Every structure is written in structure tokens, then in C-alpha cells.
Amino acid sequence: MALLHRATLHPTKLDLLAAWLPGRPWFARPTGVSAEPAGVDVVSRGAYRFDDPAGEVGIETMLVGVADGPVHQVPLTYRAAPLDGADDWLVGTTEHSVLGPRWVYDGCVDPVYVAALAHAILTGSGQAEQYFEVDGRREVREPTVTILVSGAGDLNVPPVGAVRRVVDEDRTLIDTDSVELVVVRRPGAGAAGAAGVTLSGRWDGQPTTVPLAYAKRL
């Protein structure tokens, strides 16, 4: 389960993504939108979360759009300190009103996200339940993305180990010691599928289920 805080972020996640997204090789800019970061108006289409078993790293995958353009999938991790060797994958830093400074990374290079994604797909566990603590009671937050896993059910998922290689294109390929993962950057854009177990989802404005990620044991 993912514990959320009723807090503010400065700058906000969408502010960070507005400046960061235009530099990604998989970003599809709608016709007529300025090439400058300031000209990008990013809106959220939904999000889903995984759990870090250690409780140290926040893991959230955001689905965002720009004007009338396609939806982009951005896995994010939130850390209390910089991640060694990941400067090129830093989305930005923000101040969390409860937790303090947060370093926000593209999760595809973060071993905590990679392990969580592999576990969610291969075991079929899907996304984490989200909740707030309110006066000692748990208040569940309804998800904005419905997640489905097909072909899963392996309870003996090996440790992912090190992230060996990340190829960041229209689909981001993540190679680890034991699992190969693919993250679909523009879900529903008609990209060809990949081998392995499939994580799919739907959200408001996307009534049919589309692939979000794939996992294959090596």
C-alpha cells in the first residue's frame, strides 16, 4: 500500500514535467505548440503507484498530455537524496511541505522502480492501493488508472539485480540481471507489442485497455 501525504510541492510535478518533457526523444509535440519549455502546458490524465518495500522511495507513474497531443507515460521516483550515477535522468528537485527536499527521477533508471515494475507485472500484483492517514484512520484514495496484468502469476520472481542498460526511445528498454522490461512511452499510439507478460491500463479519456509495459524473464 502507498501512504500519501496531504501536502504541497514547489515546484509541482507538472511544473517539473513541463520543462523536462520537451527534451525527451519520445516526446511528441502537438502541431503549433512552441518548442520552448515555457510553451508546454502539461495536464495530468491519471497516475498509478507501486510500493517500495523499504518505504524509502516514492514510486508514481504519471500519464500526462500536452494540449490535444498524445498521452505520455512517465514513471517517477521521489528520493530524499540524489541517486548516484543518475544525473542525466533527474527530472528536477522539489520541496515537499511534509517530507522536505525531494529529488525526482525518471524511474526507468532507478533500481527501486525497476524492481517494483518487474514484481507488479510478473506476479500479477498490479498497482498499490493508495491511502491517507486521517485522524488515525485509513482513507482510501480511488485510483485514476485501472491496471490489468495478463499472463502473470509467477510467485518466484528472481531479484532484478543491477540495471545494466537503458535504451530510451519511443519505448524504453530496461535490461537487468534477470528481467527485461519495456515501458511504453506513448500508450495507445499504435506501437507494436513486445514479448513477455503485459501490464495494461485505461483511464478517463481512454476507455479501452492499452499496453503500458512488458516484462520477460531472462
Side-chain angles (χ1 to χ4, degrees), residues 5-29:
H5 297 274
R6 296 191 185 279
T8 58
L9 292 175
H10 183 74
T12 68
K13 303 168 194 176
L14 292 179
D15 288 340
L16 292 177
L17 291 175
W20 179 81
L21 273 173
R24 303 310 98 199
W26 37 266
F27 177 68
R29 185 185 305 279

Side-chain angles (χ1 to χ4, degrees), residues 111 114-119 122 157-163 174-179 181:
V114 173
L117 177 63
H119 182 269
L122 293 175
V157 177
V160 167
V163 177
I174 307 167
D175 280 335
T176 77
D177 290 340
S178 61
V179 178
L181 298 159

